[in-house]
Amino acid sequence: MQGICLLGATGSIGQSTLDVIAQHPDQFKLVNASAHSSVKKMAEICHRFLPERVVMGSAEACDELRELCSGLDVSIEWGDQALESIAAQDGVDQVMAAIMGFAGLKPTLSAIRAGKRILLANKESLVTAGQLFMNEVKKHGAVLLPIDSEHNAIYQSLPQTATGAVKKDVAKIILTASGGPFRSWSLEDMKSVTPEQACNHPNWSMGQKISIDSASLMNKGLELIEACWLFDVTPDDVEVVVHPESIVHSMVSYLDGSVIAQMGNPDMKIPIAYGMTWPNRVTTQVPPLNLVEIGCLNFEAPDLQRFPNLDLAAKAWYLGGTAMAILNAANEVAVAAFLQKKIGFLDIARVNERVLFGMNIDPVESLNVVFQADLSTREFAHHVIAQGDF
Ligand code: NDP
Ligand code: MG
C-alpha cells in the first residue's frame, strides 16, 4: 500500500489522481492533501477519501473546511509550513506535486528532502529552480517521475534501469505540442482572443493557467526548459513538433536513426498512473487507442512569429541563472492580467519579453536568489502592465 500526499487536490491533475486512487484502493491510500481556497471541493474529498491531514491556503478557508468536516477524523491546517510538513510526513510514500505555478516549489522541495517519490506535474518549480532542484533530488535519493505527459512519454521511451530511466545513445528529443486552440489562427484574429476562447483547449481538459499557457505556447516553452533539466540536454537537443491530434505524447530519437514514441489517448490518468506504479502498470479506465478511427496523425513546425513565447524560453535557458525564474514570474503575472482582461492575448508574450530583458539576471547560488528573483520580477511585471510599457 502506497501512501499518497496530493498537493493541489482540487485541481485538474488532483482530480485525475483521485480517480486513479479510487480505482485501486488496494494499492493507494490518500494520506494528506492540499488546496488553496476550494473549500467545498476539499470537503467532498475529505468525506470520500478520509485523509489524515489537509492543508488550505488561509485561516478562513481552514475554518470553513473544519465546519464542513465536523465529525471526521481529519486534521485541518493552513499555511506554508503545514504544506511543507504534509509533504515530508512519515507514512507518505509518494507526493503528487500538482499545485499551480511557483507556489508549488517549497512543498515540492520539502518532499524531495524527505526522500519521497516525487510525481512532478508542477513544471514551474523545476523551471524556476532548475539545477538546485535536480541537485536536491540526487542528494536525497528521491525518485523523480515526470507527470507532464510529454516528459512522461520521453521517460517511457528511454532505457529503464532499477533506479529510473537513463539517457543513453540519444540523438535528439522530439517534444510534441498540440498547438493549442489558435494553431491555425491569423495574428490579426489572435489580437481579440478572449480568456474563454484561450481556456478552451481542443484535446486536453486542464486548469486555467496551463490552458492559457498552451494557447500561447508558453507551456511548450516551460516544457522545453523542463526537458532540459530532467534529461540533461539543451534546447538545441530538443525539437518541438506541433502534432494537433495529441496522440504521440513525445519521442526519443536515437543515434542509429530509431525513434521511439509513446502514444495514447490524451488523458492525464495515463501518465499519473504510470508515475504512481512505475516500473509496473495498472488499468486506468482510459479507452484504448483506436488508430483506425483516428486515421491520420499530422506533424508541423511551430510558428515562432505568432508564438514567440517558445523562443523566449530557449533564450531564457541560454541566459541561465535567474532568467528562467524571471520568465516564469513574468508569465504568471501576464496570464493573470489576461484573465482579468487587463491585457490582450498577444500582450502576454510582449510582457514576458519586456520583463525578461528588463531585469538583472543573477547566478542561482541559493534558493533565496530564486525567491528574490520571483518577487522582484512580479513587482516589475505589474509595473510594466500598469504603465502599458511593453
Ligand atoms: P488547477 O488550476 O486545476 O489546480 C491547481 C491546484 O493548485 C488547485 O488544487 C489549487 O487550489 C492549488 N493552488 C492554486 N494556487 C495555489 C497556491 N498559491 N498555493 C497553494 N495551492 C494553490 O491546475 P492543474 O491541475 O491544471 O495544474 C497543476 C500543475 O500541473 C501546474 O503546474 C500545471 O502546469 C501542471 N500540469 C497540468 C496538466 C493538466 O492536464 N492539468 C498537465 C501537465 C502539467 P484551489 O482549487 O483551492 O485554488
Ligand atoms: Mg504537457
Side-chain angles (χ1 to χ4, degrees), residues 106-342:
K106 274 189 184 169
T108 306
L109 283 172
S110 169
I112 293 171
R113 288 171 181 152
K116 308 296 185 191
R117 174 182 289 206
I118 312 297
L119 310 170
L120 185 70
N122 174 237
K123 64 193 86 185
E124 295 92 339
S125 56
L126 180 56
V127 165
T128 53
Q131 194 62 61
L132 291 178
F133 186 111
M134 294 307 287
N135 290 348
E136 291 291 288
V137 169
K138 272 199 204 97
K139 183 170 157 194
H140 297 280
V143 174
L144 179 62
L145 270 301
I147 297 304
D148 214 346
S149 58
E150 297 77 3
H151 307 75
N152 192 274
I154 295 162
Y155 196 93
Q156 294 200 39
S157 302
L158 287 169
Q160 306 283 310
T161 70
T163 51
V166 290
K167 196 185 73 176
K168 190 168 175 285
D169 303 329
V170 171
K172 197 169 63 176
I173 283 173
I174 303 172
L175 189 66
T176 54
S178 70
F182 312 127
R183 181 177 58 84
S184 52
W185 286 37
S186 70
L187 259 183
E188 196 51 37
D189 289 343
M190 284 164 71
K191 273 185 195 161
S192 51
V193 156
T194 64
E196 294 70 34
Q197 288 171 313
C199 282
N200 192 15
H201 196 278
N203 306 336
W204 297 94
S205 157
M206 308 181 286
Q208 263 191 337
K209 194 258 179 182
I210 183 174
S211 297
I212 306 285
D213 284 349
S214 298
S216 73
L217 253 65
M218 180 44 104
N219 183 50
K220 212 46 58 181
L222 297 175
E223 290 184 358
L224 175 68
I225 297 172
E226 184 185 10
C228 289
W229 290 124
L230 281 172
F231 304 112
D232 190 22
V233 294
T234 69
D236 284 341
D237 304 316
V238 182
E239 181 185 358
V240 176
V241 174
V242 174
H243 165 47
E245 291 84 8
S246 297
I247 295 297
V248 177
H249 298 303
S250 276
M251 304 172 242
V252 176
S253 174
Y254 287 89
L255 296 176
D256 62 356
S258 298
V259 175
I260 299 191
Q262 185 262 351
M263 298 196 277
N265 283 320
D267 188 316
M268 288 306 294
K269 286 198 288 295
I270 296 176
I272 289 169
Y274 182 82
M276 289 166 73
T277 57
W278 179 89
N280 303 308
R281 295 183 191 260
V282 283
T283 54
T284 58
Q285 293 179 4
V286 176
L289 183 62
N290 187 335
L291 282 173
V292 172
E293 202 168 87
I294 295 161
C296 184
L297 298 177
N298 290 281
F299 300 92
E300 59 193 57
D303 179 348
L304 299 180
Q305 297 294 319
R306 286 183 303 133
F307 299 101
N309 275 329
L310 182 55
D311 198 34
L312 279 182
K315 285 187 174 133
W317 167 273
Y318 286 114
L319 284 168
T322 49
M324 288 157 273
I326 290 170
L327 180 61
N328 178 68
N331 184 60
E332 289 192 21
V333 173
V335 169
F338 170 66
L339 284 169
Q340 293 161 14
K341 303 195 173 168
K342 288 184 185 160

Side-chain angles (χ1 to χ4, degrees), residues 34-175:
S34 87
H36 194 56
S37 55
S38 301
V39 173
K40 278 197 186 131
K41 269 194 193 173
M42 187 51 111
E44 283 166 23
I45 292 169
C46 289
H47 282 273
R48 183 160 175 219
F49 291 89
L50 306 172
E52 290 171 20
R53 290 172 74 193
V54 161
V55 175
M56 299 299 292
S58 66
E60 297 73 44
C62 183
D63 288 345
E64 279 178 47
L65 186 62
R66 279 183 183 145
E67 266 183 38
L68 294 178
C69 294
S70 62
L72 289 184
D73 185 16
V74 51
S75 159
I76 298 174
E77 306 155 54
W78 71 278
D80 283 356
Q81 276 189 354
L83 202 54
E84 288 174 51
S85 154
I86 58 165
Q89 187 187 303
D90 284 349
V92 166
D93 303 292
Q94 309 190 2
V95 176
M96 168 58 81
I99 286 175
M100 186 276 287
F102 184 72
L105 176 57
K106 274 189 184 169
T108 306
L109 283 172
S110 169
I112 293 171
R113 288 171 181 152
K116 308 296 185 191
R117 174 182 289 206
I118 312 297
L119 310 170
L120 185 70
N122 174 237
K123 64 193 86 185
E124 295 92 339
S125 56
L126 180 56
V127 165
T128 53
Q131 194 62 61
L132 291 178
F133 186 111
M134 294 307 287
N135 290 348
E136 291 291 288
V137 169
K138 272 199 204 97
K139 183 170 157 194
H140 297 280
V143 174
L144 179 62
L145 270 301
I147 297 304
D148 214 346
S149 58
E150 297 77 3
H151 307 75
N152 192 274
I154 295 162
Y155 196 93
Q156 294 200 39
S157 302
L158 287 169
Q160 306 283 310
T161 70
T163 51
V166 290
K167 196 185 73 176
K168 190 168 175 285
D169 303 329
V170 171
K172 197 169 63 176
I173 283 173
I174 303 172
L175 189 66

Side-chain angles (χ1 to χ4, degrees), residues 326 329 355 359 369 371-381:
I326 290 170
V355 174
M359 296 281 300
V369 176
F371 284 101
Q372 199 48 53
D374 178 77
L375 205 65
S376 49
T377 303
R378 281 169 200 271
E379 266 174 41
F380 183 53

